[in-house]
Coordinates of all heavy atoms in Angstrom, one line a residue:
G1 N 3.1 -1.6 9.1 CA 2.8 -2.9 9.7 C 1.6 -2.9 10.6 O 0.8 -3.8 10.6
L2 N 1.5 -1.8 11.4 CA 0.3 -1.7 12.3 C -1.0 -1.5 11.5 O -2.0 -2.1 11.9 CB 0.5 -0.5 13.2 CG -0.6 -0.3 14.3 CD1 -0.6 -1.5 15.3 CD2 -0.3 1.0 15.1
V3 N -0.9 -0.8 10.4 CA -2.1 -0.6 9.6 C -2.5 -2.0 9.0 O -3.7 -2.3 8.9 CB -1.9 0.5 8.5 CG1 -3.0 0.4 7.5 CG2 -1.9 1.8 9.1
Y4 N -1.5 -2.7 8.5 CA -1.8 -4.0 7.9 C -2.4 -5.0 9.0 O -3.3 -5.7 8.7 CB -0.5 -4.6 7.3 CG -0.7 -6.0 6.9 CD1 -1.4 -6.3 5.7 CD2 -0.3 -7.1 7.6 CE1 -1.7 -7.6 5.3 CE2 -0.5 -8.4 7.2 CZ -1.2 -8.7 6.0 OH -1.5 -9.9 5.6
A5 N -1.8 -5.0 10.2 CA -2.2 -5.9 11.2 C -3.6 -5.6 11.7 O -4.4 -6.5 12.1 CB -1.2 -5.9 12.4
T6 N -4.0 -4.3 11.7 CA -5.3 -4.0 12.3 C -6.4 -3.8 11.2 O -7.5 -4.2 11.5 CB -5.2 -2.6 13.1 OG1 -4.7 -1.6 12.2 CG2 -4.3 -2.8 14.3
I7 N -6.1 -3.4 10.0 CA -7.1 -3.2 9.0 C -6.9 -4.1 7.8 O -7.8 -4.8 7.4 CB -7.1 -1.7 8.6 CG1 -7.4 -0.8 9.8 CG2 -8.1 -1.5 7.4 CD1 -7.3 0.7 9.5
G8 N -5.7 -4.0 7.3 CA -5.4 -4.7 6.0 C -5.6 -6.2 6.1 O -6.2 -6.8 5.2
H9 N -5.1 -6.8 7.2 CA -5.2 -8.3 7.3 C -6.7 -8.7 7.4 O -7.1 -9.7 6.7 CB -4.5 -8.8 8.5 CG -4.5 -10.3 8.7 ND1 -5.4 -10.9 9.5 CD2 -3.7 -11.2 8.1 CE1 -5.1 -12.2 9.4 NE2 -4.1 -12.4 8.6
N10 N -7.5 -8.0 8.2 CA -8.9 -8.3 8.3 C -9.6 -8.1 6.9 O -10.5 -8.9 6.6 CB -9.6 -7.4 9.4 CG -9.1 -7.8 10.7 OD1 -8.7 -8.9 11.0 ND2 -9.1 -6.8 11.6
L11 N -9.3 -7.0 6.2 CA -9.9 -6.8 4.9 C -9.5 -7.8 3.9 O -10.4 -8.4 3.2 CB -9.5 -5.4 4.4 CG -10.1 -4.9 3.1 CD1 -11.6 -4.8 3.2 CD2 -9.5 -3.6 2.7
L12 N -8.3 -8.2 3.9 CA -7.8 -9.2 2.9 C -8.4 -10.6 3.3 O -8.7 -11.4 2.4 CB -6.3 -9.3 2.9 CG -5.6 -8.1 2.2 CD1 -4.1 -8.1 2.3 CD2 -6.1 -8.0 0.8
T13 N -8.5 -10.9 4.6 CA -9.1 -12.2 5.0 C -10.6 -12.2 4.5 O -11.1 -13.3 4.0 CB -9.1 -12.3 6.5 OG1 -7.7 -12.3 6.9 CG2 -9.7 -13.6 7.0
W14 N -11.3 -11.1 4.7 CA -12.7 -11.1 4.3 C -12.8 -11.3 2.7 O -13.6 -12.0 2.3 CB -13.3 -9.7 4.7 CG -14.7 -9.5 4.2 CD1 -15.8 -10.1 4.6 CD2 -15.1 -8.5 3.3 NE1 -16.9 -9.6 3.9 CE2 -16.5 -8.6 3.1 CE3 -14.4 -7.5 2.6 CZ2 -17.2 -7.7 2.3 CZ3 -15.1 -6.7 1.7 CH2 -16.5 -6.8 1.6
L15 N -11.9 -10.5 2.0 CA -11.9 -10.7 0.5 C -11.5 -12.1 0.1 O -12.1 -12.6 -0.9 CB -11.0 -9.6 -0.1 CG -11.5 -8.2 0.0 CD1 -10.4 -7.3 -0.6 CD2 -12.8 -8.0 -0.8
S16 N -10.6 -12.7 0.8 CA -10.2 -14.1 0.5 C -11.3 -15.1 0.6 O -11.4 -16.1 -0.1 CB -8.9 -14.5 1.3 OG -9.3 -14.7 2.6
T17 N -12.2 -14.9 1.6 CA -13.3 -15.8 1.7 C -14.3 -15.6 0.7 O -15.0 -16.5 0.2 CB -14.0 -15.7 3.1 OG1 -14.4 -14.3 3.3 CG2 -13.0 -16.0 4.2
I18 N -14.5 -14.4 0.2 CA -15.5 -14.1 -0.9 C -15.0 -14.6 -2.2 O -15.7 -15.3 -2.9 CB -15.7 -12.6 -1.0 CG1 -16.5 -12.1 0.3 CG2 -16.5 -12.2 -2.2 CD1 -16.6 -10.6 0.4
Y19 N -13.7 -14.3 -2.5 CA -13.2 -14.7 -3.8 C -12.4 -16.0 -3.8 O -11.8 -16.4 -4.8 CB -12.3 -13.6 -4.4 CG -13.1 -12.3 -4.7 CD1 -13.0 -11.2 -3.8 CD2 -13.9 -12.3 -5.7 CE1 -13.7 -10.1 -4.1 CE2 -14.7 -11.1 -6.0 CZ -14.5 -10.0 -5.2 OH -15.3 -8.9 -5.4
L20 N -12.4 -16.7 -2.7 CA -11.8 -18.0 -2.6 C -10.3 -18.0 -2.9 O -9.7 -18.8 -3.5 CB -12.5 -19.1 -3.5 CG -14.0 -19.3 -3.3 CD1 -14.5 -20.3 -4.3 CD2 -14.2 -19.8 -1.9
W21 N -9.7 -16.9 -2.4 CA -8.2 -16.8 -2.4 C -7.6 -17.5 -1.2 O -8.3 -17.8 -0.3 CB -7.8 -15.3 -2.4 CG -8.3 -14.5 -3.5 CD1 -8.6 -14.9 -4.8 CD2 -8.4 -13.1 -3.5 NE1 -9.0 -13.8 -5.5 CE2 -8.9 -12.7 -4.7 CE3 -8.2 -12.1 -2.5 CZ2 -9.2 -11.3 -5.0 CZ3 -8.5 -10.8 -2.8 CH2 -9.0 -10.4 -4.1
A22 N -6.3 -17.7 -1.3 CA -5.6 -18.1 -0.1 C -5.6 -17.0 0.9 O -5.5 -15.9 0.6 CB -4.1 -18.5 -0.5
P23 N -5.7 -17.4 2.2 CA -5.8 -16.4 3.2 C -4.4 -15.7 3.3 O -3.4 -16.3 3.1 CB -6.1 -17.1 4.5 CG -5.8 -18.5 4.2 CD -5.9 -18.7 2.7
P24 N -4.4 -14.4 3.7 CA -3.2 -13.6 3.8 C -2.4 -14.0 5.0 O -3.0 -14.5 6.0 CB -3.7 -12.2 3.9 CG -5.0 -12.3 4.5 CD -5.6 -13.5 4.0
P25 N -1.1 -13.8 5.0 CA -0.3 -14.2 6.2 C -0.5 -13.2 7.3 O -0.7 -12.0 7.0 CB 1.1 -14.1 5.6 CG 1.1 -13.2 4.5 CD -0.3 -13.3 3.9
A26 N -0.5 -13.7 8.5 CA -0.5 -12.8 9.7 C 0.9 -12.4 10.0 O 1.9 -13.1 9.6 CB -1.2 -13.5 10.8
I27 N 1.1 -11.3 10.7 CA 2.4 -10.8 11.1 C 2.5 -10.9 12.6 O 1.5 -11.0 13.3 CB 2.7 -9.4 10.6 CG1 1.8 -8.4 11.1 CG2 2.8 -9.4 9.1 CD1 2.1 -7.0 10.8
D28 N 3.8 -10.9 13.1 CA 4.0 -11.0 14.5 C 3.8 -9.6 15.1 O 4.7 -8.8 15.1 CB 5.5 -11.5 14.7 CG 5.8 -11.6 16.2 OD1 4.9 -11.6 17.0 OD2 7.0 -11.7 16.5
T29 N 2.7 -9.4 15.7 CA 2.4 -8.1 16.2 C 3.1 -7.8 17.5 O 3.2 -6.6 17.9 CB 0.8 -7.9 16.4 OG1 0.3 -9.0 17.2 CG2 0.1 -7.9 15.1
D30 N 3.5 -8.8 18.2 CA 4.3 -8.6 19.5 C 5.5 -7.8 19.2 O 5.8 -6.8 19.9 CB 4.6 -9.9 20.2 CG 3.4 -10.7 20.7 OD1 2.3 -10.0 20.9 OD2 3.5 -11.9 20.9
T31 N 6.3 -8.3 18.2 CA 7.5 -7.6 17.9 C 7.2 -6.2 17.3 O 7.9 -5.2 17.7 CB 8.3 -8.4 16.9 OG1 8.6 -9.7 17.4 CG2 9.6 -7.7 16.5
L32 N 6.2 -6.1 16.5 CA 5.8 -4.8 15.9 C 5.5 -3.8 17.0 O 6.0 -2.7 16.9 CB 4.7 -5.0 14.9 CG 4.0 -3.8 14.4 CD1 5.0 -3.1 13.4 CD2 2.7 -4.1 13.7
L33 N 4.6 -4.2 17.9 CA 4.2 -3.3 18.9 C 5.3 -2.9 19.9 O 5.4 -1.8 20.4 CB 3.0 -3.8 19.7 CG 1.7 -3.9 18.8 CD1 0.6 -4.6 19.6 CD2 1.3 -2.6 18.4
Y34 N 6.2 -3.8 20.1 CA 7.4 -3.5 20.9 C 8.2 -2.4 20.3 O 8.6 -1.5 21.0 CB 8.2 -4.8 21.2 CG 9.4 -4.6 22.0 CD1 9.3 -4.5 23.4 CD2 10.7 -4.5 21.4 CE1 10.5 -4.3 24.2 CE2 11.8 -4.4 22.2 CZ 11.7 -4.3 23.6 OH 12.8 -4.1 24.3
V35 N 8.5 -2.6 19.0 CA 9.4 -1.6 18.3 C 8.6 -0.2 18.2 O 9.2 0.8 18.5 CB 9.8 -2.1 16.9 CG1 10.4 -1.0 16.1 CG2 10.7 -3.3 17.1
L36 N 7.4 -0.3 17.8 CA 6.6 0.9 17.7 C 6.4 1.6 19.0 O 6.5 2.9 19.1 CB 5.2 0.6 17.1 CG 4.3 1.8 16.7 CD1 5.0 2.7 15.7 CD2 3.0 1.3 16.1
G37 N 6.1 0.9 20.1 CA 6.0 1.5 21.4 C 7.3 2.1 21.9 O 7.3 3.2 22.5
A38 N 8.4 1.5 21.6 CA 9.7 2.1 22.0 C 9.9 3.4 21.2 O 10.4 4.4 21.8 CB 10.8 1.1 21.7
M39 N 9.6 3.4 20.0 CA 9.8 4.6 19.2 C 8.9 5.7 19.6 O 9.3 6.9 19.7 CB 9.6 4.3 17.7 CG 10.8 3.5 17.1 SD 10.7 3.5 15.3 CE 11.2 5.2 15.0
L40 N 7.7 5.4 19.9 CA 6.7 6.4 20.3 C 7.1 6.9 21.7 O 6.9 8.1 22.0 CB 5.3 5.9 20.3 CG 4.7 5.6 18.9 CD1 3.4 5.0 19.0 CD2 4.6 6.9 18.1
G41 N 7.6 6.0 22.6 CA 8.0 6.5 23.9 C 9.2 7.4 23.8 O 9.2 8.4 24.6

């Protein structure tokens, strides 16, 4: 999820503007970072 939120989403948004696709959905990074931070802690 973190890779998608930081790299994948931006890459897919860029590709969607080039190829006129529907923009990709964004994810709730607040919840993601909360869970990931707790696990890393």
Side-chain angles (χ1 to χ4, degrees):
L2 184 63
V3 168
Y4 174 76
T6 57
I7 298 171
H9 185 264
N10 293 331
L11 181 63
L12 289 174
T13 300
W14 176 66
L15 289 173
S16 70
T17 58
I18 292 173
Y19 294 107
L20 302 176
W21 299 335
I27 60 173
D28 180 15
T29 55
D30 292 339
T31 303
L32 172 69
L33 292 175
Y34 179 77
V35 171
L36 187 59
M39 289 193 70
L40 291 174

